[in-house]
Amino acid sequence: MKDTIQAILIGAGQRGTDVYGAYALHHPERIQFVAVAEPNAKRRKHFAEEHKIPAANQFTSWEPLLKRESLGQAAFVCTQDQQHTAPALTALRAGYDVLLEKPMATKAEECRQLVAVAEETGHQLHISHVLRYTKHFQTMRDIIQFGDLGDIVNISHRENVSWWHMAHSFVRGNWRREEESAPMILAKCCHDLDILVWLLDDRCQYLSSIGNLLHYRPEKAPNGAPQYCLDGCPVADSCPYYAPFIYEDLLPLWRNYAAGAQGIEKLLTQAYERTPKLLKAIGKISAGARQISEYRGWPISVVALDPTPENVHEELRKGPYGRCVYKCDNDVVDHQVVAMQFETGPSVTLTMHGHSHCEGRFTRIQGTRAELQATFGFGGSRIEVSEHRSGEKTVYDTSSTDAGHGGGDNRFIDAFVKSLQANDEALALSTARQSLESHLMAFAAEEARLGKKIVEMEHFRS
Ligand SMILES: NC(=O)c1ccc[n+]([C@@H]2O[C@H](COP(=O)([O-])OP(=O)(O)OC[C@H]3O[C@@H](n4cnc5c(N)ncnc54)[C@H](O)[C@@H]3O)[C@@H](O)[C@H]2O)c1
């Protein structure tokens, strides 16, 4: 068994730094980053300083890094969606085991190629389908697989993206344009399609899909709205998307958090909404209050590298996150439904939309012996099973105290480390081969939506 995994990071952005970098800093005995490739000088320097990476191992792009002799066992590929395939293939061929962000690639052919090269080279390739690693979805899978629900007849699964997360990532942010990133059903819902396949241990036979971009369009802009919210917007006091309300007041984030939080955290987040100034004052003596009043995490860590109030305000003046949501160059859908027939018989629907008051996934499963209803949210998660004959209800608290996709982020990295230490890919739940099916389903759904047709999955698999 090998001990600490020596790793290289490709892409020191939000995921690379805040998720994988943070994990390594918390668990230096498990992962040590020894090199970084990142074109943005500030991000590269920040990551290199945090991980004490010498100048010789800092690169402005992944190509020169991967031309060097191998610097460790693992490569973390955390670049944007369309920049996954080339560095991941090169890293596998250079001898690294690879952790690759989802979506594995934005074209079906590239996804297949990634699986083939991982199998050819014999190196591990894990895709960050973090939901498989959560207590919530693992409990749900056990309930189904143990037969508690009887035979599964129908699943209705909803990915409720909150209105402000939609505005942040898919209207103003990195995933707003299909040609620069991916269709939303791939970018946001490859997780959900993956979970459905995994829960049922089954494959989709054929599917269809509908959806469009309904709201975030120029013709919906309020009269007189300027290009940037801070340029004197006439509806600054009433528009939910007013950028300072989302990023400076941060009220949507804390409301969302309070909806699922418990105990002192719930009280503090509610208190912040009522009297932010008072909570800031309490923050001088209370670490709990400071976590809220001096919050520096997502989404403001995306708006500014060092998200102090001054830096965030400056970014909102002319940066992408300060734009009026009706005047961006976005084109991805804000709602989409996929209807699927699975091979063993169940019908399944996935509804994704970007207008939820609070962020969260809902799942309702109809079985021949019982029904399951589940919510997977920001601050808490639960599953309730109601048995048809006895009328008994069983409730499972599937909340996690770990942040990051209900604890899935950290458990995914744990599994990656363990698989590498034991040189046994079978310890992982989301290898490239396991992740391929959901990606193919997303491509099929997009073809069905655009072509207004039913698509046979066999066509995509061959
Ligand atoms: N697993 C999940 O649930 C989850 C959640 C969010 C994002 N993601 C995925 O993670 C990936 C990264 O997202 P992010 O939010 O961190 O993006 P980001 O834009 O913050 O980070 C990407 C980084 O890659 C860098 N980069 C660009 N070209 C490069 C090159 N040639 N060599 C090295 N680095 C280069 C960029 O400068 C940037 O810093 C995306 O594919 C995204 O879809 C996954």
Side-chain angles (χ1 to χ4, degrees):
M1 181 119 148
K2 297 163 211 156
D3 296 328
T4 310
I5 302 293
Q6 309 266 297
I8 62 170
L9 177 71
I10 295 173
Q14 200 268 326
R15 295 288 296 174
T17 303
D18 297 350
V19 178
Y20 304 111
Y23 180 97
L25 293 176
H26 274 100
H27 300 288
E29 75 293 356
R30 297 187 199 161
I31 297 181
Q32 188 197 0
F33 281 104
V34 295
V36 59
E38 166 59 58
N40 180 306
K42 274 192 195 163
R43 291 180 182 177
R44 190 173 61 247
K45 180 167 178 279
H46 176 75
F47 191 87
E49 278 174 4
E50 280 198 314
H51 295 267
K52 302 190 174 44
I53 296 173
N57 287 357
Q58 299 173 25
F59 301 84
T60 54
S61 188
W62 58 268
E63 295 90 339
L65 165 55
L66 293 177
K67 274 196 190 125
R68 286 263 307 260
E69 78 286 2
S70 177
L71 290 167
Q73 186 181 356
F76 284 61
V77 178
C78 303
T79 38
Q80 273 296 340
D81 297 359
Q82 296 200 350
Q83 300 170 298
H84 285 179
T85 312
L89 290 176
T90 312
L92 286 166
R93 288 179 176 133
Y96 289 97
D97 292 316
V98 174
L99 180 151
L100 173 60
E101 264 304 344
K102 66 96 233 187
M104 53 200 289
T106 56
K107 295 192 172 62
E109 196 38 51
E110 292 180 14
C111 294
R112 290 193 201 96
Q113 197 187 0
L114 281 161
V115 174
V117 171
E119 291 177 354
E120 240 166 70
T121 57
H123 291 297
Q124 297 193 29
L125 174 57
H126 297 220
I127 312 301
S128 71
H129 272 152
V130 292
L131 297 189
R132 285 196 186 207
Y133 296 86
T134 59
K135 179 177 166 194
H136 182 77
F137 287 107
Q138 290 189 344
T139 305
M140 198 184 297
R141 186 171 192 267
D142 287 347
I143 291 168
I144 296 173
Q145 297 296 327
F146 291 153
D148 295 2
L149 306 181
D151 292 338
I152 305 304
V153 178
N154 173 269
I155 299 185
S156 165
H157 179 80
R158 292 176 69 87
E159 159 61 315
N160 306 296
V161 182
S162 66
W163 54 274
W164 57 273
H165 181 185
M166 176 81 202
H168 171 71
S169 292
F170 304 97
V171 179
R172 291 174 166 135
N174 289 331
W175 295 273
R176 69 192 185 282
R177 285 180 69 74
E178 187 183 324
E179 69 171 24
E180 286 170 28
S181 60
M184 183 129 170
I185 199 67
L186 178 70
K188 194 75 186 85
C189 292
C190 64
H191 278 313
D192 301 275
L193 294 165
D194 179 68
I195 278 297
L196 291 166
V197 168
W198 184 64
L199 286 176
L200 286 171
D201 226 347
D202 195 1
R203 298 198 307 179
C204 175
Q205 193 179 357
Y206 54 87
L207 56 74
S208 190
S209 183
I210 53 171
N212 55 42
L213 173 59
L214 187 72
H215 184 66
Y216 305 97
R217 310 174 69 97
E219 62 271 27
K220 305 272 184 184
N223 281 341
Q227 185 70 29
Y228 288 86
C229 296
L230 280 170
D231 286 348
C233 181
V235 293
D237 290 337
S238 58
C239 176
Y241 306 103
Y242 183 59
F245 172 66
I246 295 180
Y247 298 112
E248 295 188 313
D249 298 354
L250 279 174
L251 287 187
L253 174 82
W254 295 122
R255 275 185 199 149
N256 204 138
Y257 194 77
Q262 315 247 335
I264 184 76
E265 288 193 338
K266 188 173 192 88
L267 291 175
L268 285 173
T269 43
Q270 287 170 337
Y272 182 79
E273 171 154 12
R274 282 195 298 274
T275 45
K277 279 193 184 138
L278 179 62
L279 198 72
K280 279 184 186 161
I282 300 173
K284 293 201 165 57
I285 50 166
S286 151
R290 250 192 323 274
Q291 270 183 13
I292 292 171
S293 64
E294 292 179 12
Y295 181 75
R296 296 282 185 273
W298 182 90
I300 49 173
S301 60
V302 177
V303 174
L305 179 62
D306 178 15
T308 60
E310 299 72 31
N311 291 349
V312 169
H313 191 76
E314 199 44 42
E315 284 296 327
L316 296 189
R317 286 197 171 286
K318 287 286 168 240
Y321 296 96
R323 289 181 292 179
C324 170
V325 289
Y326 304 103
K327 301 194 170 182
C328 295
D329 53 349
N330 56 307
D331 63 9
V332 299
V333 302
D334 60 357
H335 66 118
Q336 184 164 354
V337 179
V338 186
M340 294 158 269
Q341 175 65 63
F342 272 67
E343 287 179 351
T344 62
S347 54
V348 178
T349 54
L350 163 65
T351 299
M352 181 278 301
H353 67 98
H355 297 274
S356 188
H357 184 61
C358 281
E359 183 99 359
R361 290 177 159 95
F362 299 169
T363 315
R364 185 169 179 149
I365 306 180
Q366 309 302 146
T368 51
R369 299 195 70 84
E371 172 183 287
L372 177 151
Q373 294 196 35
T375 55
F376 178 71
F378 232 71
S381 305
R382 83 197 279 278
I383 296 176
E384 183 178 294
V385 175
S386 307
E387 219 243 320
H388 294 340
R389 175 67 194 244
S390 66
E392 264 176 34
K393 282 190 197 305
T394 310
V395 176
Y396 303 81
D397 180 358
T398 52
S399 308
S400 164
T401 47
D402 260 3
H405 295 97
D409 282 354
N410 283 347
R411 293 173 74 177
F412 165 59
I413 314 170
D414 286 344
F416 180 65
V417 170
K418 283 191 186 128
S419 306
L420 265 54
Q421 285 173 332
N423 194 19
D424 182 4
E425 201 181 43
L427 297 176
L429 298 175
S430 59
T431 61
R433 168 124 345 250
Q434 287 162 321
S435 299
L436 180 63
E437 185 70 14
S438 54
H439 286 68
L440 298 182
M441 287 163 74
F443 297 121
E446 199 53 4
E447 183 174 309
R449 181 180 79 85
L450 295 172
K452 299 184 180 152
K453 61 184 182 186
I454 291 176
V455 173
E456 293 280 347
M457 280 308 300
E458 211 40 54
H459 159 69
F460 269 86
R461 289 194 197 104
S462 55

